Amino acid sequence: MSKGSILITNIQRMCFHDGPGIRTTVFLKGCNLHCPWCANPENISVLPQNYERNGKRGTYGREYSDSELLEEILKDRNFFGEEGGVTFSGGEPLLQIERLRSVLTTLHQRGISIAMETALQIPYQAWKDQADDIDHYLIDLKILKKDICNMIIGGDADCYRANVRFLHEKGKDMIFRIPLNHEYTLKEDNLCLIEEFLEEYKDVPVEIFATHMLGNEKYKSLGLEEPVWEKVTDTVLDQIKERFEKRGIRAKIARI
Amino acid sequence: MIAGLRNTSEDFMENGLMRPYTEVFSLICRKIRISDSENKRFFYFIDTDYVMDTTRGYRYENLTPAYDKVLNNGLMELKYSDPSSEFCRGYNTVCDELGGLAQRIADTIRQRDRSDVRVSWFEALIEKPAEHFCEAIQRMLFINQMFWQTDHRLVGLGAWDTFLWPYYEKDMKTGILSRCEALKVLEDLFRVLHENYRYKSNVLMGDTGQIFVLGRSDENGGYVCNELTYLFIEAMKNVHQPDPKCLLRINKNTPDDLIGLSLDSIATGIGAPLFANDDVILPCLTGFGIPIEDAVEYTTSACWEPLIGGKSSSNNNRTPLNYMRALDNLFKREKLDRITDFNALVDTYLVYLSRNLRAVKTVLRNHVFQNDILLSVFTYGCFESEKDVSQGGALYGELGITSVAMGNLLDALFNIKKFVFEEHRFSLYDIKKMIMSDFAGNEDVLDELREEKGHYGTDDEEVISLTQRIMDHVSAELAEYKKMCGQRIKTGLSGAAYMDSARGFSASFDGRKKGEPFTVHISNEDNDSFTEVVNYAAGLHYENNQFNGNVIDLMMSPDQIISNREKMVQFIKGSIRAGFFEMQMNVVSSKTLIEARKDPEKFPNLIVRVWGFSAYFKDLPEEYQEVLIRRALENERKAS
């Protein structure tokens, strides 16, 4: 991989659901977690991967230079307006923060809003220098019990808590996004931990959504077994929303 | 009666010859059967058995008359006080006969009900200016019906929100009118104009050209709209008919709530309003030599072609230019081994395109327009110059052509570039064979071409610059016409002929089989986002003579707009900033379309957008239904 190259699986323009306004979402390849419900399995490995889909072969992951990526993002600058901009998603976008440094600085200087859709489980020491260039943090909230977090998704709950605190103290614009599934995140002890945690951050809006199987075609294309999930009904989503609200947590349901 | 068919009378002939215009016009005003409309608020009718026979030459159509002339004046005030020429005498006769008809109508209403307010409206029309909101509408409706009665087609409506504003404001102040009542009045206006739907339809049902052009810029780029601009859109949305339709002129200063209201209307599926971006269109008009004070008054010819409403007799829709024809001819006639690289292919294409354009110019040169005194009365410039529109009396009068298949051409060229000059998989002769044989034996190549991502309508610099090169070539060739014939020809990337021109047309290397339809306007079903096609359209320059309608055509599902209303407002605002020319949206789900095709009776009121108008889905020929379903399916995978 050449210096400064950024590994990207997809750049999706005119996104309405990845932060404020109209946004271009850049899907960065590579993740430090392995959530069993991941909807973007092609973004887990940090290397390009070949796939076969409906008899057609291709590669997930293409390296972009800084200027190529900037050019692609700036194509829709007229549509960003005051609120919109670019959202880096993944995978875990913070993994490539070093490679993104110059792109982030340029976008920030040009007044283009930057959002990170992150699981926030990379120690902040690794990305704090760029933290101020980022305007919005869309933060996954998954499993908070330390040992389960580590066992199921390979994450570090303490690191997560420290990162959230760090951003909150900086006064950054944040939103928590909670993927709900009966198998893991909806377990009662996890929900209790989530509630306790959110009570500390009552000023941060929360979005809940049901884990879906929209990424299953991608599992298939990589030769991986497709995960199957018990359906989380609208009633369950409504119940969770109500439960959160009773404790003063602002929750919104995102129906996918 | 089928769409477009007219019944005329033997009265208009004398010894086997057509009587002169004024005689026919007089007969019409004196003899047409007066009948009240289904709607009781306004008096509006067309006697479809007594329509002017217009077989004496090319007739004027796609125009917007100067309705405002009968607002500030009675009909008699429009006349010459001392008619010195045959034209002036004919002009006065037309005004007199209109006055006579207005009196006949007043008398007819009085016989039925002496207290009917419309008696005074029609009597005042003869000699006095209009006083009130409803009266002003009635006057403009009267002029409109006379255009239909004299066999004009695609009769535009224009800037009625501007014309009616003083009357609305006055009646609101005096308490005669409320906002709520005005909305009901406008709903009735839409209903009245929708009567005679079949008669008014041109080639396809719904193709009536009845378009209100709302909102506008001022001379300094500010935005001008009023309460009526909103009310017209609300009324159109509430009545939920395919026709008449509205176009909303917008610029970077258009209020968000007006764009939002327009999107609410579009989301109901009626396909309107269409958006026209003044920030791009006005500089094109002034660059063409139209003073800004007139340019800001532009309306459109039925669909998209900008036209100075009431001041122009421009024929903006004379004939379509098929961009694919020249490439097809190149393959049929050229010695292909002479073409050794992509640039040479494009250069040779342009040579063939010039030949096509010569044919277009010849067609236009042979068009002779008949005299049209009614249109001359209602077109500024004729009175002052004492000339009929056919003699150049109008303030503005140019010719315009539409175009078709730019998308197929570009995709074919880029596919040839890849397959022949980059990958060396085929020779140009191989391509010729495939086109001529309709891909027989090469179905695998056809499949591969169909899988290729479309180039047309993407914001790739190479695609934009090749489009511009071809457009500029056409522009320069058409500019030559003025030297030959004195008139200017405009062109654009919109056109209604994507079905008709494609019928029987050979296969093409964009992956199109013989007879399959061409691309619709500026569109791209392969794009991942709508911003891409907007950026493509915004990347093109429409100056010189290239502004004769350049509409982006988007297919969306209702949910895409309804669930994301605020972001869609931002999308439209972003499109204005990017610099699109015009944009229309077809809002319908493929599921509904498929069900409606199967069971039309279940969806009698399903409206879709075709060409530049809206129509009932059930009224469309099957091939148009197919195109809409295919495009809806392809678009539904886009981001929302």
Side-chain angles (χ1 to χ4, degrees):
Chain A
M1 198 183 292
S2 62
K3 192 171 177 289
S5 60
I6 305 156
L7 191 60
I8 289 167
T9 48
N10 191 18
I11 299 175
Q12 207 171 318
R13 292 159 60 179
M14 201 175 164
C15 297
F16 287 170
H17 305 298
D18 297 334
I22 295 176
R23 309 194 77 85
T24 294
T25 302
V26 180
F27 291 89
L28 294 154
K29 189 156 164 50
C31 190
N32 56 322
L33 305 182
H34 44 76
C35 308
W37 59 84
C38 181
N40 296 320
E42 78 284 12
N43 289 336
I44 296 174
S45 162
V46 294
L47 297 172
Q49 282 169 291
N50 292 330
Y51 69 86
E52 191 173 325
R53 200 168 183 171
N54 304 327
K56 287 206 183 104
R57 288 170 181 218
T59 305
Y60 287 128
R62 198 203 118 186
E63 286 170 13
Y64 281 70
S65 68
D66 292 354
S67 59
E68 272 181 308
L69 179 56
L70 273 172
E71 191 188 328
E72 202 55 32
I73 292 168
L74 292 175
K75 275 182 177 171
D76 277 1
R77 64 189 175 280
N78 283 310
F79 298 91
F80 296 158
E82 283 170 19
E83 287 194 313
V86 59
T87 297
F88 292 96
S89 181
E92 174 49 65
L94 294 177
L95 278 184
Q96 296 195 55
I97 196 87
E98 264 307 305
R99 295 174 194 168
L100 285 171
R101 183 184 289 268
S102 135
V103 171
L104 293 176
T105 307
T106 310
L107 290 171
H108 185 68
Q109 281 167 354
R110 295 191 62 157
I112 288 172
S113 146
I114 301 170
M116 281 280 162
E117 188 177 23
T118 168
L120 213 61
Q121 308 216 8
I122 311 273
Y124 67 80
Q125 290 80 356
W127 49 268
K128 66 176 173 23
D129 291 350
Q130 292 297 316
D132 285 331
D133 286 346
I134 297 159
D135 304 281
H136 310 282
Y137 288 83
L138 318 174
I139 304 167
D140 294 346
L141 175 48
K142 300 175 180 180
I143 298 175
L144 287 177
K145 197 151 188 262
K146 203 170 151 75
D147 53 342
I148 306 284
C149 176
N150 187 262
M151 187 170 74
I152 303 298
I153 65 174
D156 181 342
D158 288 344
C159 166
Y160 178 80
R161 286 171 189 273
N163 286 342
V164 170
R165 201 173 310 120
F166 169 75
L167 288 178
H168 195 251
E169 278 167 11
K170 275 175 120 15
K172 298 305 294 189
D173 182 69
M174 299 154 66
I175 179 168
F176 291 117
R177 289 178 148 183
I178 313 177
L180 294 176
N181 51 63
H182 292 290
E183 292 78 358
Y184 301 102
T185 55
L186 276 171
K187 294 277 182 220
E188 186 52 34
D189 53 349
N190 192 48
L191 278 181
C192 291
L193 283 173
I194 286 178
E195 276 174 329
E196 280 166 28
F197 174 79
L198 289 177
E199 280 189 334
E200 287 177 53
Y201 300 103
K202 279 192 174 161
D203 56 324
V204 180
V206 176
E207 222 174 73
I208 57 174
F209 60 96
T211 301
H212 56 78
M213 294 194 280
L214 297 175
N216 278 22
E217 277 296 313
K218 294 190 267 190
Y219 278 93
K220 228 159 84 178
S221 71
L222 286 163
L224 300 170
E225 200 179 320
E226 298 169 56
V228 179
W229 305 100
E230 185 188 338
K231 190 173 164 49
V232 176
T233 60
D234 284 352
T235 319
V236 172
L237 290 175
D238 289 337
Q239 283 165 356
I240 300 293
K241 178 176 175 342
E242 204 176 313
R243 177 172 166 173
F244 283 173
E245 277 170 353
K246 270 190 194 147
R247 299 183 68 156
I249 299 159
R250 287 192 287 156
K252 210 175 99 182
I253 300 173
R255 296 188 203 274
I256 295 167
Chain B
M1 191 195 295
I2 58 162
L5 196 72
R6 300 293 190 257
N7 297 324
T8 59
S9 168
E10 285 295 313
D11 296 358
F12 304 150
M13 308 293 283
E14 189 179 30
N15 301 327
L17 292 174
M18 177 70 64
R19 289 176 186 271
Y21 183 97
T22 44
E23 284 183 27
V24 176
F25 192 83
S26 301
L27 279 167
I28 285 175
C29 289
R30 289 165 192 218
K31 291 182 74 172
I32 48 171
R33 203 175 52 247
I34 295 173
S35 53
D36 206 345
S37 73
E38 292 159 27
N39 186 284
K40 299 298 169 205
R41 195 188 299 270
F42 297 112
F43 208 90
Y44 186 85
F45 62 95
I46 299 166
D47 181 351
T48 53
D49 290 327
Y50 213 75
V51 175
M52 183 178 267
D53 188 326
T54 47
T55 50
R56 294 164 295 151
Y58 285 93
R59 93 186 130 232
Y60 284 93
E61 57 188 23
N62 270 305
L63 289 170
T64 310
Y67 296 101
D68 53 321
K69 279 189 137 188
V70 285
L71 296 181
N72 301 321
N73 305 288
L75 288 164
M76 295 308 116
E77 292 171 288
L78 300 178
K79 285 167 60 181
Y80 289 99
S81 52
D82 181 18
S84 53
S85 66
E86 197 189 334
F87 169 76
C88 299
R89 284 188 290 276
Y91 185 106
N92 279 6
T93 303
V94 164
C95 294
D96 285 333
E97 292 297 339
L98 285 172
L101 176 60
Q103 189 61 58
R104 270 181 71 206
I105 295 171
D107 293 344
T108 308
I109 303 171
R110 185 185 288 111
Q111 276 169 15
R112 291 178 196 168
D113 178 3
R114 296 186 68 83
S115 63
D116 192 326
V117 65
R118 297 176 299 180
V119 174
S120 62
W121 290 351
F122 276 97
E123 287 188 334
L125 166 62
I126 300 168
E127 289 186 334
K128 294 179 192 157
E131 294 277 335
H132 300 291
F133 182 64
C134 288
E135 182 192 6
I137 293 178
Q138 177 65 73
R139 285 186 179 214
M140 295 199 283
L141 280 174
F142 175 68
I143 300 309
N144 177 269
Q145 82 174 50
M146 290 313 292
F147 272 86
W148 288 109
Q149 189 69 55
T150 47
D151 199 25
H152 291 87
R153 297 188 188 187
L154 304 157
V155 182
L157 296 161
W160 286 31
D161 60 336
T162 304
F163 296 153
L164 290 170
W165 177 244
Y167 305 95
Y168 175 81
E169 216 183 5
K170 185 180 152 202
D171 285 0
M172 288 287 281
K173 261 189 204 148
T174 52
I176 296 176
L177 191 68
S178 66
R179 189 187 188 278
C180 178
E181 178 62 12
L183 180 62
K184 283 189 199 145
V185 169
L186 293 183
E187 286 172 5
D188 279 347
L189 170 64
F190 275 87
R191 289 190 191 102
V192 160
L193 286 166
H194 188 62
E195 289 172 14
N196 309 291
Y197 180 59
R198 193 171 283 272
Y199 172 81
K200 288 179 174 180
S201 295
N202 199 34
V203 179
L204 289 180
M205 284 294 287
D207 182 18
T208 67
Q210 302 201 96
I211 187 165
F212 289 112
V213 178
L214 308 172
R216 51 183 280 185
S217 302
D218 63 23
E219 293 174 23
N220 304 311
Y223 191 70
V224 185
C225 62
N226 58 47
E227 193 62 39
L228 287 173
T229 315
Y230 290 79
L231 284 171
F232 265 93
I233 296 173
E234 271 180 54
M236 172 177 68
K237 176 171 155 264
N238 295 350
V239 174
H240 198 77
Q241 299 162 162
D243 158 83
K245 56 193 182 279
C246 294
L247 175 150
L248 182 69
R249 290 175 49 182
I250 52 182
N251 71 19
K252 59 179 178 302
N253 296 312
T254 303
D256 286 11
D257 63 347
L258 184 56
I259 296 175
L261 175 66
S262 304
L263 286 170
D264 294 341
S265 167
I266 290 167
T268 66
I270 56 174
L274 173 150
F275 293 115
N277 185 3
D278 279 9
D279 290 341
V280 170
I281 294 174
L282 288 177
C284 289
L285 295 174
T286 52
F288 197 61
I290 298 167
I292 185 70
E293 61 270 24
D294 283 347
V296 292
E297 289 181 10
Y298 82 87
T299 58
T300 59
S301 299
C303 300
W304 328 277
E305 303 85 348
L307 171 90
I308 310 305
K311 295 184 176 175
S312 173
S313 61
S314 293
N315 287 278
N316 285 339
N317 252 310
R318 288 324 307 166
T319 189
L321 169 69
N322 179 349
Y323 276 105
M324 191 49 99
R325 173 75 61 197
L327 188 64
D328 196 57
N329 287 344
L330 181 155
F331 274 107
K332 282 179 182 149
R333 297 173 193 167
E334 186 63 27
K335 288 192 172 154
L336 297 172
D337 49 8
R338 286 189 195 164
I339 301 171
T340 52
D341 60 33
F342 185 63
N343 275 334
L345 176 70
V346 175
D347 288 344
T348 316
Y349 168 78
L350 294 177
V351 172
Y352 279 85
L353 185 58
S354 295
R355 289 180 194 162
N356 277 108
L357 286 163
R358 275 203 286 280
V360 165
K361 286 184 266 188
T362 308
V363 169
L364 294 180
R365 202 167 41 203
N366 292 331
H367 284 192
V368 176
F369 286 89
Q370 62 196 16
N371 68 324
D372 191 332
I373 307 178
L374 179 67
L375 181 62
S376 302
V377 173
F378 290 100
T379 304
Y380 286 101
C382 295
F383 180 89
E384 296 76 4
S385 64
E386 300 190 4
K387 274 191 201 163
D388 189 88
V389 281
S390 60
Q391 300 303 310
L395 287 176
Y396 304 101
E398 301 95 26
L399 295 169
I401 59 168
T402 56
S403 74
V404 73
M406 175 64 98
N408 306 83
L409 169 74
L410 280 175
D411 286 349
L413 286 175
F414 280 106
N415 287 342
I416 294 168
K417 183 179 182 220
K418 179 182 167 190
F419 284 70
V420 176
F421 300 113
E422 288 169 5
E423 296 181 355
H424 304 288
R425 284 173 58 190
F426 303 116
S427 69
L428 287 175
Y429 282 106
D430 295 331
I431 308 249
K432 175 177 180 168
K433 216 176 112 196
M434 286 187 243
I435 293 170
M436 298 302 160
S437 65
D438 202 17
F439 294 98
N442 290 101
E443 286 77 11
D444 53 332
V445 180
L446 181 66
D447 287 344
E448 204 176 334
L449 290 172
R450 287 178 171 171
E451 286 292 314
E452 283 283 318
K453 195 169 183 261
H455 295 83
Y456 182 61
T458 62
D459 49 6
D460 180 314
E461 271 308 316
E462 196 187 357
V463 179
I464 293 173
S465 67
L466 182 56
T467 314
Q468 193 72 55
R469 191 175 163 204
I470 296 165
M471 282 170 65
D472 289 348
H473 182 83
V474 172
S475 167
E477 287 276 339
L478 292 179
E480 293 289 309
Y481 187 82
K482 185 160 176 7
K483 283 184 210 150
M484 290 158 55
C485 303
Q487 257 186 316
R488 294 193 287 181
I489 309 178
K490 300 169 290 184
T491 178
L493 286 181
S494 305
Y498 53 84
M499 203 72 81
D500 290 339
S501 298
R503 221 168 267 134
F505 196 92
S506 326
S508 44
F509 208 65
D510 51 313
R512 195 188 128 271
K513 284 200 80 177
K514 184 177 178 178
E516 285 182 355
F518 288 129
T519 328
V520 179
H521 313 310
I522 303 176
S523 61
N524 182 329
E525 270 62 73
D526 296 340
N527 281 346
D528 290 325
S529 92
F530 295 115
T531 53
E532 203 169 339
V533 71
V534 173
N535 281 339
Y536 168 81
L540 298 171
H541 301 286
Y542 304 103
E543 290 92 357
N544 301 320
N545 49 8
Q546 306 179 75
F547 58 87
N548 201 34
N550 295 283
V551 68
I552 300 170
D553 192 282
L554 303 178
M555 290 288 285
M556 290 190 186
S557 69
D559 195 49
Q560 276 173 313
I561 298 185
I562 294 162
S563 317
N564 303 291
R565 188 179 182 275
E566 288 316 305
K567 297 212 177 184
M568 283 301 298
V569 171
Q570 294 308 316
F571 168 68
I572 300 297
K573 290 176 76 178
S575 302
I576 299 170
R577 280 192 293 271
F580 79 102
F581 193 95
E582 291 160 331
M583 183 191 292
Q584 63 183 12
M585 294 182 205
N586 221 323
V587 178
V588 75
S589 75
S590 62
K591 189 168 166 267
T592 313
L593 290 179
I594 291 166
E595 283 175 27
R597 184 180 49 178
K598 219 190 291 171
D599 193 356
E601 301 202 339
K602 258 176 75 184
F603 298 88
N605 298 319
L606 178 64
I607 297 170
V608 288
R609 185 119 187 135
V610 196
W611 303 351
F613 61 90
S614 299
Y616 290 114
F617 186 69
K618 65 176 166 51
D619 287 344
L620 291 176
E622 207 171 309
E623 54 190 1
Y624 283 89
Q625 295 184 341
E626 282 299 321
V627 169
L628 285 164
I629 290 172
R630 176 178 55 76
R631 294 189 64 215
L633 282 168
E634 285 167 353
N635 274 285
E636 277 162 21
R637 55 175 189 77
K638 284 185 188 172
S640 62

